[in-house]
Amino acid sequence: MGVKRWVGAWPVYRQLTGADRLGRGRAVQSRRSAGLGPRTADADRVADSVCPYCAVGCAQRVYVKDERVVQIEGNPDSPVSRGRLCPKGSASKQLVTGPQRERKVRYRPPYATEWQDLDLDVAMEMVADRVLDARRRGWQDTDASGRPLRRTLGFAGLGGATLDNEENYLIKKLFTALGAIQIENQARI
Ligand code: SF4
């Protein structure tokens, strides 16, 4: 390799002598990085979504290729976040594609030491049965003086910080309609 070509391979030389004085473009590209392209460029489709991590509810664009999520970025159309994601939201692709993500319903029966797989429909029925049973067992129709209460102390609602306004609104409505009076959010505790 000639001296001129050798020196010309230095990014700092190209930065000082070329048009890319800030070293953000061609001056700092290697042969390998010059051939790279963004994962978003060849996605099959883009789905709109919302970051699941906190109640800010930043909007996301989910890039899908071959039915797999290949990238998640902020959606500039959102009036809430205007295309931005914090570091946690920027890493939410890991949440979707990470190898430790559970993809089946897991159930550990009372006193069992091992988890087992459960069919989703069966699990939903079990949750509904437990809600109805707890509601019935904790039901208070009247107080000691016969005044109407029509409430249950059988369960409580505890919202989490990953729930957004709309989810909290619906959960509050559901639990109130079921007769619960103990409805809280983790953010207030
Ligand atoms: S975790 Fe970050 S990106 Fe996600 S909604 Fe909250 S602020 Fe937005």
Side-chain angles (χ1 to χ4, degrees):
M1 184 188 284
V3 173
K4 195 167 172 201
R5 212 171 139 207
W6 182 69
V7 172
W10 281 4
V12 68
Y13 175 82
R14 295 200 301 261
Q15 182 179 344
L16 292 174
T17 58
D20 181 17
R21 290 297 167 91
L22 292 176
R24 293 165 138 186
R26 292 185 64 80
V28 290
Q29 279 181 340
S30 65
R31 206 174 298 145
R32 180 176 172 277
S33 61
L36 296 175
R39 281 189 292 270
T40 55
D42 56 354
D44 298 329
R45 59 192 166 88
V46 183
D48 286 338
S49 188
V50 178
C51 175
Y53 279 126
C54 91
V56 175
C58 298
Q60 294 181 321
R61 283 182 175 167
V62 181
Y63 294 82
V64 179
K65 183 170 177 55
D66 299 329
E67 293 308 304
R68 293 188 61 83
V69 174
V70 292
Q71 179 68 353
I72 297 179
E73 298 197 343
N75 187 343
D77 294 339
S78 166
V80 175
S81 49
R82 291 177 288 164
R84 300 176 182 91
L85 295 175
C86 78
K88 197 158 177 60
S90 301
S92 48
K93 176 171 168 276
Q94 290 175 335
L95 180 73
V96 185
T97 61
Q100 291 180 310
R101 180 186 172 128
E102 286 291 353
R103 294 169 192 280
K104 294 179 180 163
V105 177
R106 303 286 282 156
Y107 174 63
R108 197 177 71 175
Y111 307 110
T113 55
E114 301 295 330
W115 292 85
Q116 62 190 49
D117 290 347
L118 204 61
D119 184 70
L120 178 60
D121 289 340
V122 173
M124 298 288 274
E125 290 291 333
M126 288 168 66
V127 170
D129 287 346
R130 283 159 170 72
V131 167
L132 293 177
D133 184 54
R135 179 177 187 264
R136 182 181 51 74
R137 284 190 289 113
W139 186 258
Q140 296 177 331
D141 211 39
T142 57
D143 66 10
S145 309
R147 289 173 294 203
L149 294 174
R150 292 197 285 273
R151 68 187 187 187
T152 183
L153 300 183
F155 49 61
L158 179 61
T162 58
L163 302 173
D164 58 32
N165 284 346
E166 292 75 15
E167 288 164 322
N168 277 307
Y169 174 80
L170 291 172
I171 288 169
K172 171 74 170 74
K173 277 199 113 155
L174 172 66
F175 273 82
T176 300
L178 286 168
I181 55 171
Q182 302 156 128
I183 303 171
E184 252 305 349
N185 189 284
Q186 164 258 331
R188 266 170 35 102
I189 293 176

CSV table of all heavy atoms in Angstrom, one decimal, residues 51 53-54 56-58 85-86 88-89, ligand 1:
chain,number,residue,atom,x,y,z
A,51,CYS,N,-45.3,2.5,23.3
A,51,CYS,CA,-44.3,1.9,24.2
A,51,CYS,C,-45.0,1.3,25.4
A,51,CYS,O,-45.9,2.0,26.0
A,51,CYS,CB,-43.3,3.0,24.6
A,51,CYS,SG,-42.1,2.4,25.8
A,53,TYR,N,-43.7,0.6,28.4
A,53,TYR,CA,-43.0,0.7,29.6
A,53,TYR,C,-43.6,1.7,30.6
A,53,TYR,O,-43.5,1.4,31.8
A,53,TYR,CB,-41.6,1.0,29.3
A,53,TYR,CG,-40.7,-0.2,29.0
A,53,TYR,CD1,-40.0,-0.2,27.8
A,53,TYR,CD2,-40.7,-1.4,29.8
A,53,TYR,CE1,-39.2,-1.3,27.4
A,53,TYR,CE2,-40.0,-2.5,29.4
A,53,TYR,CZ,-39.3,-2.4,28.3
A,53,TYR,OH,-38.5,-3.5,27.9
A,54,CYS,N,-44.1,2.8,30.2
A,54,CYS,CA,-44.6,3.7,31.2
A,54,CYS,C,-45.8,4.5,30.7
A,54,CYS,O,-46.1,4.4,29.5
A,54,CYS,CB,-43.5,4.6,31.7
A,54,CYS,SG,-43.3,6.2,30.8
A,56,VAL,N,-46.3,7.5,30.0
A,56,VAL,CA,-46.2,8.6,29.0
A,56,VAL,C,-46.8,8.1,27.7
A,56,VAL,O,-47.5,8.9,27.0
A,56,VAL,CB,-44.7,8.9,28.8
A,56,VAL,CG1,-44.6,10.0,27.7
A,56,VAL,CG2,-44.1,9.5,30.1
A,57,GLY,N,-46.7,6.9,27.3
A,57,GLY,CA,-47.3,6.3,26.1
A,57,GLY,C,-46.7,6.9,24.8
A,57,GLY,O,-47.5,7.2,23.9
A,58,CYS,N,-45.4,6.9,24.7
A,58,CYS,CA,-44.8,7.3,23.5
A,58,CYS,C,-45.2,6.4,22.4
A,58,CYS,O,-45.2,5.2,22.5
A,58,CYS,CB,-43.3,7.4,23.7
A,58,CYS,SG,-42.7,8.5,25.0
A,85,LEU,N,-38.0,8.4,21.8
A,85,LEU,CA,-38.1,7.4,22.8
A,85,LEU,C,-37.0,7.5,23.8
A,85,LEU,O,-35.9,7.8,23.4
A,85,LEU,CB,-38.1,6.0,22.1
A,85,LEU,CG,-39.2,5.6,21.2
A,85,LEU,CD1,-38.8,4.2,20.5
A,85,LEU,CD2,-40.5,5.5,21.8
A,86,CYS,N,-37.3,7.3,25.0
A,86,CYS,CA,-36.2,7.3,26.0
A,86,CYS,C,-35.4,6.0,25.9
A,86,CYS,O,-35.8,5.1,25.1
A,86,CYS,CB,-36.7,7.4,27.4
A,86,CYS,SG,-37.4,5.9,28.1
A,88,LYS,N,-35.1,3.4,27.5
A,88,LYS,CA,-35.9,2.2,27.8
A,88,LYS,C,-36.8,1.8,26.7
A,88,LYS,O,-36.9,0.7,26.2
A,88,LYS,CB,-36.6,2.3,29.1
A,88,LYS,CG,-37.1,1.0,29.7
A,88,LYS,CD,-37.4,1.2,31.2
A,88,LYS,CE,-37.9,-0.1,31.8
A,88,LYS,NZ,-37.0,-1.2,31.6
A,89,GLY,N,-37.5,2.9,26.2
A,89,GLY,CA,-38.4,2.7,25.1
A,89,GLY,C,-37.6,2.3,23.8
A,89,GLY,O,-38.1,1.5,23.0
B,1,SF4,S1,-40.6,4.2,28.8
B,1,SF4,FE1,-39.7,6.0,27.7
B,1,SF4,S2,-40.2,5.7,25.6
B,1,SF4,FE2,-41.5,4.4,26.8
B,1,SF4,S3,-43.4,5.6,27.1
B,1,SF4,FE3,-42.1,5.9,28.9
B,1,SF4,S4,-40.9,7.8,28.3
B,1,SF4,FE4,-41.8,7.0,26.4
